[in-house]
Amino acid sequence: MKNKRRVLKPFLVISLVCACASIAFSAGEKERMLQRIPEIKALKDSGVIGEQANGLLGFVKSSPAAQSLVDAENKDRKTVYEDLAPKLGVSAAKVAERRALQIAEQASSGDWLRNAAGTWYQK
């Protein structure tokens, strides 16, 4: 059961973000982000990438093969943060920081996280 929850958690998190920010997502962004979830989860599980304090993915270990996937995800995340910022009355950076805190809270044991000081750690 624990593994099932761990697999479903990223889907639920993205779905919740999509639902809450539906006005910020174009159909294309939402679909692209949902399609990337399995690959992102696999990279997280293998310790290649992690979540950063700025709301973006980052590399724990170098992986040129994953660069385009991470770049695409980060581009869509930035767009969502920028779209939400004026609606929330804060900067895009603040939206990203708040989202990073949510992601860190919801991260599974063993996931890699990077704090604001730039230090990687496992939850």
Side-chain angles (χ1 to χ4, degrees):
M1 182 66 172
K2 185 177 180 181
N3 285 339
K4 188 174 186 178
R5 283 195 317 237
R6 185 174 180 171
V7 169
L8 291 177
K9 190 181 283 187
F11 293 100
L12 296 174
V13 169
I14 294 296
S15 297
L16 178 62
V17 170
C18 292
C20 292
S22 60
I23 53 175
F25 279 86
S26 73
E29 285 166 346
K30 182 177 179 179
E31 185 61 29
R32 286 190 307 267
M33 292 177 86
L34 289 172
Q35 286 177 353
R36 284 192 289 263
I37 290 173
E39 289 178 273
I40 289 171
K41 183 181 176 342
L43 289 168
K44 285 182 178 182
D45 289 347
S46 66
V48 172
I49 63 171
E51 295 284 350
Q52 302 182 104
N54 64 359
L56 303 176
L57 294 173
F59 284 95
V60 179
K61 300 175 190 171
S62 179
S63 176
Q67 187 69 55
S68 63
L69 175 77
V70 170
D71 288 346
E73 178 67 15
N74 285 342
K75 180 181 177 189
D76 284 342
R77 288 185 183 193
K78 286 178 185 177
T79 299
V80 171
Y81 300 154
E82 290 167 2
D83 288 349
L84 281 173
K87 294 169 181 76
L88 298 173
V90 297
S91 69
K94 184 55 77 178
V95 173
E97 288 173 22
R98 289 177 183 170
R99 181 65 188 128
L101 291 173
Q102 290 173 333
I103 291 169
E105 275 184 23
Q106 297 164 349
S108 299
S109 179
D111 282 354
W112 285 95
L113 303 169
R114 190 175 194 180
N115 63 27
T119 304
W120 284 105
Y121 66 95
Q122 274 187 295
K123 183 169 181 181

